[in-house]
Amino acid sequence: MKKDYNIAISLLQLISSEQAYHYRIIPHKYSDGKLVLKTDNTSDSLKQELQIILNKNIELLNESSENIEHYLSINFRQRNVNQTKDLHYTSDFLEKLLFTAKDIGSSDVHFEPYEHKCRVRLRLDGKLKEQFIIPLQDYPIIVNKLKIKAGLDISEKRLPQDGRITIKTTVEEFDIRVSSLPTLHGEKLVLRILSKDANHINLDDLGFTKTELKTYKETIKKPNGIILISGPTGSGKTTTLYATLKLLNDDQTNILTIEDPIEYTLEGVNQVQLKENIGLDFASTLRTFLRQDPDIIMVGEIRDGKTANMAIRAALTGHLVLSTIHTNSAWATISRLIDMDIPSFLIASTLNVSIAQRLVRKLCNSCKIEEAISKDVLPSNLESPKHLKTHYKPIGCNACYHTGYSGRKAIYEIIPITKTLINNIKQNDLEIDDYLKENKIATLKINALSLVEKGITSIEEVYPLISD
């Protein structure tokens, strides 16, 4: 029978990740002030030291070193010591939580109240993981602290609110976007951690194939037109846009952006934060941008017809416009714009390239295993590719915290708008499957299967893409 290495959240939060790794201790049971810890060192000196540090009655249970390693890697994420060694912050729970979330690479922190408890979950590599349980009586204090830091109204608990926290240390500076939502048992808060450092963003490293990268770089060299990137929330669209702006940014170019939120700051780029409560929305800001002598305009997201019309107008008057839009594929962007009442002839004359992208988790190279492919692991509507004989499965090891995955990679679908497609758009002929095959344009599905074939990701990770 396989041993279960998962630990209850109520026990996990009794010790910090640093304490767990330093002393090699695993919380096993806690009642009446007595904490039972598993360890591979049951010396009296360790017991006495832990009683002083944890201020609890301690009992040590002997456990094998191998099992201790499994417990640690599955339940405790190690922080990046090099980044945080100079951070001097108080013992305040909230501050520690924010720094920990940033250091282990979490993108979002969720504070969620329920009838009998409140929990804290962190999003790591696109998946939520429960990290803490907060007593109900302490939750309002934490909510108020966050709302004060974010400049929100602590007396308003009936309406959603949005705010922003800037955290500065001797090592780095980062922003946190705060969103509050009234729920049945109290306010749910979601914190999006925004890294201001854009130095690590590079188009060459995002996940484009050589052919796709060449095609994309050719389209962004055009002096005018629209470049649209589509995909669901959290698929890396904004990161692709920033990498593009970084490449286009020089002393001869005036670049303006309107964003919500500003996720990175780029030297030499004029960035505007959206503030809809005072009328500073995408459409009105775009109108002002046209009077600011821009060369390149980046719009965070095209949400409505008003914004789409202004983006089209900007492209028609000789500007290069970059933006994102929510659709399922690159070609579905055309239908979305038509639904927004944009005339098809205007779309045909301004759209340079339509891109769809997704983020997929990469398999851990230390533990993935290869096995022969069988029909039951593939979607029923997918013909098994003849060249795909084997695939790799996630297993889990200490290196990947027993998730089987390590890091993420973007996959793209890039459709440059050619003369043939311009005619298709004008005639509202949106069936282009034959065109894609003839021109060897790789769809998300094809690129996803390619990653499976190369052993970069698993079938279960790209299942939604290959079953479409």
Side-chain angles (χ1 to χ4, degrees):
M1 187 176 172
K2 192 176 179 181
K3 187 176 176 69
D4 184 11
Y5 290 100
N6 290 303
I7 304 168
I9 300 298
S10 56
L11 290 172
L12 270 182
Q13 61 192 44
L14 294 174
I15 63 172
S16 68
S17 179
E18 289 87 349
Q19 289 168 340
Y21 276 95
H22 180 72
Y23 294 108
R24 296 180 63 77
I25 52 175
I26 306 298
H28 175 62
K29 193 185 296 182
Y30 181 62
S31 63
D32 300 325
K34 183 179 181 180
L35 177 59
V36 181
L37 300 167
K38 291 182 179 180
T39 179
D40 53 5
N41 171 20
T42 55
S43 65
D44 287 338
S45 58
L46 175 63
K47 181 179 178 179
Q48 290 168 8
E49 188 174 343
L50 289 172
Q51 285 185 159
I52 294 168
I53 290 169
L54 300 175
N55 194 27
K56 290 178 176 66
N57 184 17
I58 300 295
E59 181 185 334
L60 299 181
L61 289 181
N62 191 42
E63 185 64 86
S64 70
S65 296
E66 184 184 358
N67 282 345
I68 293 294
E69 287 292 339
H70 276 76
Y71 276 117
L72 289 172
S73 61
I74 290 172
N75 297 283
F76 297 98
R77 288 241 174 183
Q78 281 185 295
R79 298 169 64 180
N80 189 333
V81 177
N82 292 331
Q83 279 191 332
T84 60
K85 62 183 179 183
D86 295 323
L87 300 182
H88 301 290
Y89 51 85
T90 68
S91 58
D92 179 64
F93 163 77
L94 188 57
E95 207 162 7
K96 275 188 174 182
L97 173 63
L98 297 181
F99 278 106
T100 301
K102 174 72 168 63
D103 294 338
I104 65 175
S106 172
S107 61
D108 300 86
V109 183
H110 290 238
F111 292 83
E112 300 167 315
Y114 297 99
E115 188 176 0
H116 301 296
K117 66 173 185 178
C118 303
R119 68 176 178 178
V120 179
R121 293 192 291 173
L122 303 185
R123 190 175 290 280
L124 297 157
D125 286 339
K127 303 291 182 182
L128 283 169
K129 181 174 173 60
E130 192 172 324
Q131 292 290 117
F132 298 99
I133 299 292
I134 301 171
L136 276 174
Q137 64 269 22
D138 294 341
Y139 187 67
I141 300 168
I142 290 169
V143 169
N144 285 342
K145 278 186 179 180
L146 280 168
K147 289 174 81 171
I148 290 167
K149 285 176 183 284
L152 304 181
D153 182 358
I154 61 170
S155 65
E156 181 55 78
K157 302 179 188 298
R158 301 165 302 166
L159 294 172
Q161 296 184 74
D162 291 296
R164 197 180 184 96
I165 302 170
T166 299
I167 294 181
K168 294 180 182 179
T169 71
T170 55
V171 177
E172 62 181 337
E173 180 179 336
F174 62 95
D175 281 356
I176 295 172
R177 185 181 66 181
V178 181
S179 172
S180 75
L181 176 72
T183 67
L184 178 62
H185 299 292
E187 289 180 279
K188 171 181 165 67
L189 295 180
V190 175
L191 279 56
R192 164 65 60 90
I193 298 170
L194 309 169
S195 174
K196 285 193 167 185
D197 181 19
N199 292 326
H200 65 284
I201 301 175
N202 195 314
L203 266 183
D204 298 347
D205 303 329
L206 294 183
F208 289 103
T209 64
K210 285 183 180 179
T211 307
E212 288 170 344
L213 188 61
K214 184 183 176 185
T215 302
Y216 185 60
K217 284 184 175 179
E218 283 175 1
T219 60
I220 63 176
K221 286 177 183 174
K222 294 182 180 179
N224 53 53
I226 297 180
I227 293 165
L228 283 180
I229 303 177
S230 66
T233 302
S235 58
K237 303 186 297 294
T238 308
T239 301
T240 301
L241 284 183
Y242 276 110
T244 307
L245 290 181
K246 192 177 173 185
L247 188 68
L248 295 171
N249 187 19
D250 58 43
D251 293 339
Q252 290 83 42
T253 309
N254 179 22
I255 302 176
L256 298 170
T257 77
I258 171 72
E259 305 167 62
D260 182 31
I262 296 173
E263 294 194 25
Y264 303 94
T265 52
L266 286 169
E267 189 72 31
V269 175
N270 305 283
Q271 296 172 267
V272 178
Q273 169 67 50
L274 188 80
K275 290 176 185 163
E276 289 184 325
N277 59 326
I278 59 168
L280 189 67
D281 57 16
F282 284 127
S284 62
T285 308
L286 263 173
R287 195 176 291 110
T288 306
F289 277 4
L290 296 179
R291 303 186 199 110
Q292 287 280 319
D293 186 30
D295 297 297
I296 298 168
I297 296 170
M298 194 264 265
V299 184
E301 183 185 341
I302 291 179
R303 297 175 180 172
D304 51 46
K306 198 175 172 185
T307 307
N309 268 307
M310 285 307 304
I312 294 280
R313 181 177 160 189
L316 284 170
T317 51
H319 307 95
L320 184 64
V321 180
L322 294 85
S323 190
T324 69
I325 192 166
H326 285 285
T327 59
N328 290 327
S329 67
W331 193 243
T333 296
I334 313 298
S335 303
R336 181 82 181 95
L337 289 172
I338 291 170
D339 288 343
M340 290 179 178
D341 294 327
I342 307 298
S344 54
F345 72 90
L346 284 181
I347 300 170
S349 57
T350 54
L351 191 60
N352 291 348
V353 63
S354 183
I355 301 162
Q357 81 172 80
R358 299 289 189 277
L359 280 179
V360 296
R361 291 184 295 170
K362 295 191 292 183
L363 285 164
C364 172
N365 289 322
S366 302
C367 63
K368 66 181 181 182
I369 61 165
E370 189 175 11
E371 69 172 25
I373 205 156
S374 58
K375 283 187 177 180
D376 59 329
V377 300
L378 293 170
S380 57
N381 63 340
L382 177 74
E383 287 184 29
S384 182
K386 293 176 183 177
H387 55 275
L388 191 62
K389 303 294 183 187
T390 62
H391 71 115
Y392 285 85
K393 286 180 65 179
I395 297 300
C397 65
N398 291 348
C400 61
Y401 304 100
H402 286 267
T403 61
Y405 298 92
S406 179
R408 291 192 289 177
K409 181 182 179 70
I411 55 173
Y412 294 89
E413 176 179 299
I414 299 180
I415 303 178
I417 307 303
T418 60
K419 286 182 179 179
T420 304
L421 292 182
I422 286 173
N423 289 330
N424 279 46
I425 295 169
K426 284 179 178 177
Q427 294 164 16
N428 280 342
D429 178 13
L430 302 183
E431 290 295 326
I432 61 160
D433 288 350
D434 292 337
Y435 173 87
L436 297 179
K437 286 176 185 175
E438 287 169 15
N439 291 272
K440 295 180 180 176
I441 293 173
T443 61
L444 287 171
K445 184 177 185 176
I446 291 169
N447 281 333
L449 284 169
S450 175
L451 291 186
V452 171
E453 186 183 353
K454 292 173 184 174
I456 294 171
T457 192
S458 66
I459 288 175
E460 67 178 11
E461 182 66 12
V462 297
Y463 197 92
L465 294 175
I466 63 177
S467 63
D468 185 8

